[in-house]
Amino acid sequence: MSNIHVIEHPLVQHKLTLMRKKEASTSSFRRLLGELASLMAYEVTRDMPLQEVQIETPLETMTGKVIDGKKLVLVSILRAGNGFLDGMLDVVPGARVGHIGLYRDPQTLQAVEYYFKMPSEMVERDVIVVDPMLATGNSASAALTRLKQTHPRSIKFVCLLAAPEGIATLQAAHPDVPIYTAAIDRQLNEHGYILPGLGDAGDRIFGTK
Ligand code: URA
């Protein structure tokens, strides 16, 4: 599979295993997700372009490096994406944040948009889309199609777990968007849950089950 990056860092793998356990409490699940999001943000932003700037230290003038261009945008696919945001914002506190809300029409099974709010001047911005679970890939694919209407400079997609089916769907529709994940699991079950997975990420983050 090309254009997919599995983040093998030992801290990422260790925390992911703790999160998967069914006995993990809502608070530890949420804390681990935040920690993982911070670690993954570090990897995902590794190739961001830099520009040189002149600064004054207390001793002399020097040329330093800062991230080039307009502020990065983190886009959360509601609602589980919000569980990823805080940990990412800890590492990139100046980032702008967008939200995309989609639901699946029970008749047509198509993704229907109910919320879409992005920062201004998207054409000049790099975007990182976050959703913990890449399962069927249908909502992620619809979210990227909608997002591309704002013509951002670049788009990356970050999830915690990916199913092979979701990767295939997303890459067929958006081969230009790199996918970052902590693991590629075995398969989806008949209800669209990832196996072995970690259950319903939204319910586990927000304690709604
Ligand atoms: N969404 C989840 O929260 N979990 C899955 O396993 C699949 C989709």
mmCIF file of all heavy atoms in Angstrom, residues 16 19 29 33 37 40 75-85 129-135 157-163 180-183 194 198-202 205-206:
data_model
loop_
_atom_site.group_PDB
_atom_site.id
_atom_site.type_symbol
_atom_site.label_atom_id
_atom_site.label_comp_id
_atom_site.label_asym_id
_atom_site.label_seq_id
_atom_site.Cartn_x
_atom_site.Cartn_y
_atom_site.Cartn_z
ATOM 1 N N LEU A 16 -1.633 2.636 22.429
ATOM 2 C CA LEU A 16 -2.749 2.098 21.648
ATOM 3 C C LEU A 16 -3.251 0.782 22.268
ATOM 4 O O LEU A 16 -4.466 0.561 22.381
ATOM 5 C CB LEU A 16 -2.316 1.890 20.189
ATOM 6 C CG LEU A 16 -3.349 1.237 19.277
ATOM 7 C CD1 LEU A 16 -4.628 2.081 19.211
ATOM 8 C CD2 LEU A 16 -2.781 1.039 17.877
ATOM 9 N N MET A 19 -5.367 1.468 25.222
ATOM 10 C CA MET A 19 -6.693 1.992 24.844
ATOM 11 C C MET A 19 -7.641 0.909 24.354
ATOM 12 O O MET A 19 -8.847 0.997 24.507
ATOM 13 C CB MET A 19 -6.566 2.996 23.694
ATOM 14 C CG MET A 19 -6.005 4.311 24.075
ATOM 15 S SD MET A 19 -5.977 5.346 22.627
ATOM 16 C CE MET A 19 -7.687 5.757 22.483
ATOM 17 N N PHE A 29 -9.168 6.260 28.689
ATOM 18 C CA PHE A 29 -9.276 6.217 27.223
ATOM 19 C C PHE A 29 -9.043 7.619 26.635
ATOM 20 O O PHE A 29 -8.261 7.808 25.702
ATOM 21 C CB PHE A 29 -10.657 5.683 26.821
ATOM 22 C CG PHE A 29 -10.799 5.397 25.355
ATOM 23 C CD1 PHE A 29 -10.516 4.139 24.845
ATOM 24 C CD2 PHE A 29 -11.224 6.383 24.475
ATOM 25 C CE1 PHE A 29 -10.647 3.866 23.478
ATOM 26 C CE2 PHE A 29 -11.349 6.127 23.119
ATOM 27 C CZ PHE A 29 -11.059 4.863 22.622
ATOM 28 N N LEU A 33 -5.889 8.842 24.376
ATOM 29 C CA LEU A 33 -6.134 9.366 23.023
ATOM 30 C C LEU A 33 -5.446 10.717 22.849
ATOM 31 O O LEU A 33 -4.827 10.995 21.809
ATOM 32 C CB LEU A 33 -7.636 9.484 22.753
ATOM 33 C CG LEU A 33 -8.016 10.013 21.372
ATOM 34 C CD1 LEU A 33 -7.475 9.116 20.257
ATOM 35 C CD2 LEU A 33 -9.532 10.134 21.236
ATOM 36 N N ALA A 37 -2.536 11.463 20.245
ATOM 37 C CA ALA A 37 -2.720 12.524 19.248
ATOM 38 C C ALA A 37 -1.500 13.444 19.232
ATOM 39 O O ALA A 37 -1.033 13.854 18.163
ATOM 40 C CB ALA A 37 -3.996 13.305 19.544
ATOM 41 N N MET A 40 1.337 11.574 17.555
ATOM 42 C CA MET A 40 1.110 11.430 16.115
ATOM 43 C C MET A 40 1.251 12.768 15.405
ATOM 44 O O MET A 40 1.745 12.831 14.272
ATOM 45 C CB MET A 40 -0.255 10.790 15.855
ATOM 46 C CG MET A 40 -0.273 9.326 16.319
ATOM 47 S SD MET A 40 -1.850 8.497 16.078
ATOM 48 C CE MET A 40 -1.806 8.140 14.327
ATOM 49 N N VAL A 75 -8.760 19.641 11.007
ATOM 50 C CA VAL A 75 -10.193 19.479 10.736
ATOM 51 C C VAL A 75 -10.684 18.205 11.414
ATOM 52 O O VAL A 75 -10.170 17.107 11.156
ATOM 53 C CB VAL A 75 -10.461 19.401 9.210
ATOM 54 C CG1 VAL A 75 -11.920 19.031 8.941
ATOM 55 C CG2 VAL A 75 -10.145 20.743 8.553
ATOM 56 N N SER A 76 -11.662 18.372 12.283
ATOM 57 C CA SER A 76 -12.234 17.234 13.004
ATOM 58 C C SER A 76 -13.489 16.747 12.287
ATOM 59 O O SER A 76 -14.376 17.541 11.978
ATOM 60 C CB SER A 76 -12.595 17.680 14.424
ATOM 61 O OG SER A 76 -13.439 16.732 15.027
ATOM 62 N N ILE A 77 -13.538 15.431 12.049
ATOM 63 C CA ILE A 77 -14.796 14.839 11.572
ATOM 64 C C ILE A 77 -15.594 14.478 12.829
ATOM 65 O O ILE A 77 -15.150 13.657 13.654
ATOM 66 C CB ILE A 77 -14.537 13.600 10.694
ATOM 67 C CG1 ILE A 77 -13.673 13.986 9.473
ATOM 68 C CG2 ILE A 77 -15.861 13.002 10.241
ATOM 69 C CD1 ILE A 77 -13.393 12.857 8.502
ATOM 70 N N LEU A 78 -16.731 15.133 13.006
ATOM 71 C CA LEU A 78 -17.532 14.970 14.228
ATOM 72 C C LEU A 78 -18.100 13.555 14.294
ATOM 73 O O LEU A 78 -18.395 12.968 13.258
ATOM 74 C CB LEU A 78 -18.674 15.997 14.232
ATOM 75 C CG LEU A 78 -18.209 17.456 14.238
ATOM 76 C CD1 LEU A 78 -19.415 18.390 14.084
ATOM 77 C CD2 LEU A 78 -17.448 17.783 15.502
ATOM 78 N N ARG A 79 -18.249 13.007 15.540
ATOM 79 C CA ARG A 79 -17.852 13.669 16.755
ATOM 80 C C ARG A 79 -16.557 13.151 17.311
ATOM 81 O O ARG A 79 -15.879 13.825 18.083
ATOM 82 C CB ARG A 79 -18.977 13.517 17.790
ATOM 83 C CG ARG A 79 -19.022 12.142 18.421
ATOM 84 C CD ARG A 79 -20.169 11.992 19.423
ATOM 85 N NE ARG A 79 -20.409 10.565 19.491
ATOM 86 C CZ ARG A 79 -20.723 9.893 20.569
ATOM 87 N NH1 ARG A 79 -20.906 10.529 21.696
ATOM 88 N NH2 ARG A 79 -20.898 8.612 20.549
ATOM 89 N N ALA A 80 -16.164 11.896 16.904
ATOM 90 C CA ALA A 80 -14.987 11.293 17.522
ATOM 91 C C ALA A 80 -13.700 12.063 17.203
ATOM 92 O O ALA A 80 -12.753 12.035 17.986
ATOM 93 C CB ALA A 80 -14.861 9.830 17.102
ATOM 94 N N GLY A 81 -13.682 12.778 16.078
ATOM 95 C CA GLY A 81 -12.495 13.558 15.734
ATOM 96 C C GLY A 81 -12.136 14.558 16.813
ATOM 97 O O GLY A 81 -10.960 14.890 17.014
ATOM 98 N N ASN A 82 -13.167 15.039 17.535
ATOM 99 C CA ASN A 82 -12.899 16.027 18.582
ATOM 100 C C ASN A 82 -12.014 15.457 19.689
ATOM 101 O O ASN A 82 -11.283 16.196 20.343
ATOM 102 C CB ASN A 82 -14.212 16.540 19.189
ATOM 103 C CG ASN A 82 -14.856 17.591 18.316
ATOM 104 O OD1 ASN A 82 -14.365 17.871 17.227
ATOM 105 N ND2 ASN A 82 -15.950 18.165 18.768
ATOM 106 N N GLY A 83 -12.078 14.136 19.885
ATOM 107 C CA GLY A 83 -11.229 13.516 20.891
ATOM 108 C C GLY A 83 -9.749 13.579 20.519
ATOM 109 O O GLY A 83 -8.884 13.451 21.378
ATOM 110 N N PHE A 84 -9.480 13.763 19.260
ATOM 111 C CA PHE A 84 -8.105 13.849 18.757
ATOM 112 C C PHE A 84 -7.543 15.267 18.827
ATOM 113 O O PHE A 84 -6.341 15.480 18.882
ATOM 114 C CB PHE A 84 -8.133 13.447 17.281
ATOM 115 C CG PHE A 84 -7.165 12.381 16.881
ATOM 116 C CD1 PHE A 84 -7.584 11.074 16.750
ATOM 117 C CD2 PHE A 84 -5.853 12.681 16.604
ATOM 118 C CE1 PHE A 84 -6.699 10.082 16.355
ATOM 119 C CE2 PHE A 84 -4.969 11.706 16.211
ATOM 120 C CZ PHE A 84 -5.390 10.404 16.091
ATOM 121 N N LEU A 85 -8.462 16.239 18.759
ATOM 122 C CA LEU A 85 -8.031 17.630 18.556
ATOM 123 C C LEU A 85 -7.140 18.165 19.665
ATOM 124 O O LEU A 85 -6.102 18.759 19.393
ATOM 125 C CB LEU A 85 -9.252 18.542 18.464
ATOM 126 C CG LEU A 85 -9.900 18.695 17.109
ATOM 127 C CD1 LEU A 85 -11.096 19.628 17.221
ATOM 128 C CD2 LEU A 85 -8.891 19.254 16.116
ATOM 129 N N VAL A 129 -6.737 16.320 8.538
ATOM 130 C CA VAL A 129 -8.087 15.864 8.900
ATOM 131 C C VAL A 129 -7.945 14.739 9.920
ATOM 132 O O VAL A 129 -7.143 13.816 9.715
ATOM 133 C CB VAL A 129 -8.841 15.358 7.650
ATOM 134 C CG1 VAL A 129 -10.234 14.863 8.023
ATOM 135 C CG2 VAL A 129 -8.930 16.461 6.601
ATOM 136 N N VAL A 130 -8.718 14.807 11.008
ATOM 137 C CA VAL A 130 -8.586 13.793 12.058
ATOM 138 C C VAL A 130 -9.909 13.087 12.322
ATOM 139 O O VAL A 130 -10.970 13.706 12.407
ATOM 140 C CB VAL A 130 -8.029 14.392 13.376
ATOM 141 C CG1 VAL A 130 -6.643 14.945 13.169
ATOM 142 C CG2 VAL A 130 -8.926 15.458 13.961
ATOM 143 N N ASP A 131 -9.816 11.770 12.423
ATOM 144 C CA ASP A 131 -10.951 10.917 12.809
ATOM 145 C C ASP A 131 -10.316 9.644 13.354
ATOM 146 O O ASP A 131 -9.538 9.006 12.630
ATOM 147 C CB ASP A 131 -11.822 10.601 11.579
ATOM 148 C CG ASP A 131 -13.130 9.927 11.973
ATOM 149 O OD1 ASP A 131 -13.318 9.613 13.164
ATOM 150 O OD2 ASP A 131 -13.967 9.703 11.074
ATOM 151 N N PRO A 132 -10.585 9.254 14.611
ATOM 152 C CA PRO A 132 -9.837 8.119 15.177
ATOM 153 C C PRO A 132 -9.982 6.826 14.395
ATOM 154 O O PRO A 132 -9.052 6.037 14.339
ATOM 155 C CB PRO A 132 -10.418 7.961 16.589
ATOM 156 C CG PRO A 132 -11.091 9.235 16.903
ATOM 157 C CD PRO A 132 -11.472 9.882 15.601
ATOM 158 N N MET A 133 -11.162 6.568 13.783
ATOM 159 C CA MET A 133 -11.407 5.259 13.180
ATOM 160 C C MET A 133 -11.659 5.387 11.677
ATOM 161 O O MET A 133 -12.644 6.016 11.262
ATOM 162 C CB MET A 133 -12.621 4.597 13.835
ATOM 163 C CG MET A 133 -12.573 4.590 15.353
ATOM 164 S SD MET A 133 -11.209 3.638 16.008
ATOM 165 C CE MET A 133 -11.941 2.027 16.071
ATOM 166 N N LEU A 134 -10.805 4.783 10.861
ATOM 167 C CA LEU A 134 -11.063 4.702 9.418
ATOM 168 C C LEU A 134 -11.670 3.319 9.175
ATOM 169 O O LEU A 134 -10.948 2.324 9.065
ATOM 170 C CB LEU A 134 -9.772 4.899 8.625
ATOM 171 C CG LEU A 134 -9.902 4.810 7.098
ATOM 172 C CD1 LEU A 134 -10.894 5.834 6.559
ATOM 173 C CD2 LEU A 134 -8.547 4.983 6.439
ATOM 174 N N ALA A 135 -13.003 3.255 9.144
ATOM 175 C CA ALA A 135 -13.694 1.958 9.088
ATOM 176 C C ALA A 135 -14.115 1.660 7.639
ATOM 177 O O ALA A 135 -13.318 1.144 6.860
ATOM 178 C CB ALA A 135 -14.871 1.965 10.053
ATOM 179 N N PHE A 157 -4.617 12.866 6.111
ATOM 180 C CA PHE A 157 -5.677 12.252 6.919
ATOM 181 C C PHE A 157 -5.009 11.433 8.028
ATOM 182 O O PHE A 157 -4.124 10.626 7.758
ATOM 183 C CB PHE A 157 -6.546 11.337 6.047
ATOM 184 C CG PHE A 157 -7.681 10.708 6.808
ATOM 185 C CD1 PHE A 157 -8.883 11.384 6.978
ATOM 186 C CD2 PHE A 157 -7.537 9.454 7.389
ATOM 187 C CE1 PHE A 157 -9.919 10.813 7.701
ATOM 188 C CE2 PHE A 157 -8.571 8.878 8.111
ATOM 189 C CZ PHE A 157 -9.760 9.559 8.264
ATOM 190 N N VAL A 158 -5.443 11.659 9.272
ATOM 191 C CA VAL A 158 -4.849 10.959 10.407
ATOM 192 C C VAL A 158 -5.916 10.202 11.174
ATOM 193 O O VAL A 158 -6.956 10.773 11.524
ATOM 194 C CB VAL A 158 -4.167 11.944 11.390
ATOM 195 C CG1 VAL A 158 -3.424 11.170 12.473
ATOM 196 C CG2 VAL A 158 -3.220 12.860 10.672
ATOM 197 N N CYS A 159 -5.652 8.924 11.432
ATOM 198 C CA CYS A 159 -6.550 8.136 12.281
ATOM 199 C C CYS A 159 -5.711 7.286 13.224
ATOM 200 O O CYS A 159 -4.498 7.165 13.060
ATOM 201 C CB CYS A 159 -7.459 7.252 11.432
ATOM 202 S SG CYS A 159 -6.572 6.099 10.359
ATOM 203 N N LEU A 160 -6.397 6.724 14.202
ATOM 204 C CA LEU A 160 -5.713 5.855 15.163
ATOM 205 C C LEU A 160 -5.660 4.433 14.609
ATOM 206 O O LEU A 160 -4.618 3.789 14.622
ATOM 207 C CB LEU A 160 -6.540 5.885 16.450
ATOM 208 C CG LEU A 160 -5.908 5.541 17.757
ATOM 209 C CD1 LEU A 160 -4.657 6.355 17.962
ATOM 210 C CD2 LEU A 160 -6.921 5.803 18.863
ATOM 211 N N LEU A 161 -6.796 3.964 14.126
ATOM 212 C CA LEU A 161 -6.910 2.624 13.571
ATOM 213 C C LEU A 161 -7.515 2.707 12.179
ATOM 214 O O LEU A 161 -8.450 3.480 11.960
ATOM 215 C CB LEU A 161 -7.873 1.765 14.403
ATOM 216 C CG LEU A 161 -7.423 1.306 15.773
ATOM 217 C CD1 LEU A 161 -8.464 0.352 16.341
ATOM 218 C CD2 LEU A 161 -6.077 0.626 15.689
ATOM 219 N N ALA A 162 -7.017 1.851 11.278
ATOM 220 C CA ALA A 162 -7.574 1.800 9.925
ATOM 221 C C ALA A 162 -7.904 0.353 9.585
ATOM 222 O O ALA A 162 -7.150 -0.566 9.926
ATOM 223 C CB ALA A 162 -6.560 2.345 8.921
ATOM 224 N N ALA A 163 -9.039 0.155 8.930
ATOM 225 C CA ALA A 163 -9.384 -1.163 8.380
ATOM 226 C C ALA A 163 -8.921 -1.187 6.927
ATOM 227 O O ALA A 163 -8.972 -0.157 6.239
ATOM 228 C CB ALA A 163 -10.894 -1.374 8.439
ATOM 229 N N TYR A 180 -2.159 8.630 7.701
ATOM 230 C CA TYR A 180 -1.299 8.313 8.845
ATOM 231 C C TYR A 180 -2.135 7.555 9.862
ATOM 232 O O TYR A 180 -3.231 7.998 10.207
ATOM 233 C CB TYR A 180 -0.754 9.597 9.488
ATOM 234 C CG TYR A 180 0.207 10.350 8.613
ATOM 235 C CD1 TYR A 180 -0.257 11.135 7.554
ATOM 236 C CD2 TYR A 180 1.579 10.273 8.824
ATOM 237 C CE1 TYR A 180 0.631 11.821 6.737
ATOM 238 C CE2 TYR A 180 2.475 10.962 8.017
ATOM 239 C CZ TYR A 180 1.993 11.739 6.977
ATOM 240 O OH TYR A 180 2.863 12.415 6.169
ATOM 241 N N THR A 181 -1.622 6.420 10.341
ATOM 242 C CA THR A 181 -2.371 5.637 11.321
ATOM 243 C C THR A 181 -1.396 4.969 12.284
ATOM 244 O O THR A 181 -0.217 4.787 11.963
ATOM 245 C CB THR A 181 -3.250 4.576 10.610
ATOM 246 O OG1 THR A 181 -4.048 3.899 11.566
ATOM 247 C CG2 THR A 181 -2.435 3.556 9.833
ATOM 248 N N ALA A 182 -1.919 4.583 13.462
ATOM 249 C CA ALA A 182 -1.075 3.855 14.417
ATOM 250 C C ALA A 182 -1.120 2.359 14.136
ATOM 251 O O ALA A 182 -0.219 1.636 14.566
ATOM 252 C CB ALA A 182 -1.526 4.149 15.849
ATOM 253 N N ALA A 183 -2.179 1.879 13.460
ATOM 254 C CA ALA A 183 -2.255 0.441 13.151
ATOM 255 C C ALA A 183 -3.246 0.198 12.024
ATOM 256 O O ALA A 183 -4.225 0.937 11.871
ATOM 257 C CB ALA A 183 -2.701 -0.344 14.386
ATOM 258 N N ILE A 194 -14.421 -2.082 13.373
ATOM 259 C CA ILE A 194 -13.087 -2.589 13.064
ATOM 260 C C ILE A 194 -12.743 -3.735 14.027
ATOM 261 O O ILE A 194 -12.964 -3.626 15.242
ATOM 262 C CB ILE A 194 -12.042 -1.458 13.169
ATOM 263 C CG1 ILE A 194 -12.344 -0.349 12.143
ATOM 264 C CG2 ILE A 194 -10.634 -2.007 12.982
ATOM 265 C CD1 ILE A 194 -11.424 0.872 12.235
ATOM 266 N N LEU A 198 -11.210 -1.276 18.801
ATOM 267 C CA LEU A 198 -11.289 -0.796 20.189
ATOM 268 C C LEU A 198 -12.726 -0.445 20.563
ATOM 269 O O LEU A 198 -12.971 0.187 21.583
ATOM 270 C CB LEU A 198 -10.335 0.386 20.430
ATOM 271 C CG LEU A 198 -10.342 1.579 19.481
ATOM 272 C CD1 LEU A 198 -11.569 2.423 19.608
ATOM 273 C CD2 LEU A 198 -9.097 2.428 19.718
ATOM 274 N N GLY A 199 -13.674 -0.841 19.714
ATOM 275 C CA GLY A 199 -15.081 -0.531 19.996
ATOM 276 C C GLY A 199 -15.491 0.776 19.358
ATOM 277 O O GLY A 199 -14.887 1.218 18.372
ATOM 278 N N ASP A 200 -16.531 1.375 19.898
ATOM 279 C CA ASP A 200 -17.030 2.648 19.360
ATOM 280 C C ASP A 200 -16.238 3.794 19.970
ATOM 281 O O ASP A 200 -16.367 4.074 21.169
ATOM 282 C CB ASP A 200 -18.526 2.794 19.665
ATOM 283 C CG ASP A 200 -19.116 3.993 18.937
ATOM 284 O OD1 ASP A 200 -18.638 5.124 19.163
ATOM 285 O OD2 ASP A 200 -20.029 3.808 18.134
ATOM 286 N N ALA A 201 -15.399 4.425 19.155
ATOM 287 C CA ALA A 201 -14.495 5.452 19.685
ATOM 288 C C ALA A 201 -15.276 6.607 20.310
ATOM 289 O O ALA A 201 -14.929 7.082 21.396
ATOM 290 C CB ALA A 201 -13.576 5.955 18.583
ATOM 291 N N GLY A 202 -16.347 7.063 19.634
ATOM 292 C CA GLY A 202 -17.129 8.185 20.183
ATOM 293 C C GLY A 202 -17.701 7.842 21.548
ATOM 294 O O GLY A 202 -17.602 8.626 22.494
ATOM 295 N N ILE A 205 -14.888 7.778 24.128
ATOM 296 C CA ILE A 205 -14.339 9.100 24.469
ATOM 297 C C ILE A 205 -15.308 9.862 25.369
ATOM 298 O O ILE A 205 -14.919 10.502 26.343
ATOM 299 C CB ILE A 205 -14.083 9.945 23.198
ATOM 300 C CG1 ILE A 205 -13.022 9.314 22.313
ATOM 301 C CG2 ILE A 205 -13.695 11.376 23.568
ATOM 302 C CD1 ILE A 205 -12.999 9.864 20.873
ATOM 303 N N PHE A 206 -16.592 9.818 24.990
ATOM 304 C CA PHE A 206 -17.558 10.700 25.659
ATOM 305 C C PHE A 206 -18.386 9.976 26.728
ATOM 306 O O PHE A 206 -19.225 10.594 27.380
ATOM 307 C CB PHE A 206 -18.461 11.357 24.611
ATOM 308 C CG PHE A 206 -17.664 12.204 23.627
ATOM 309 C CD1 PHE A 206 -17.542 11.830 22.298
ATOM 310 C CD2 PHE A 206 -17.024 13.357 24.053
ATOM 311 C CE1 PHE A 206 -16.803 12.587 21.408
ATOM 312 C CE2 PHE A 206 -16.268 14.122 23.176
ATOM 313 C CZ PHE A 206 -16.163 13.741 21.845
#
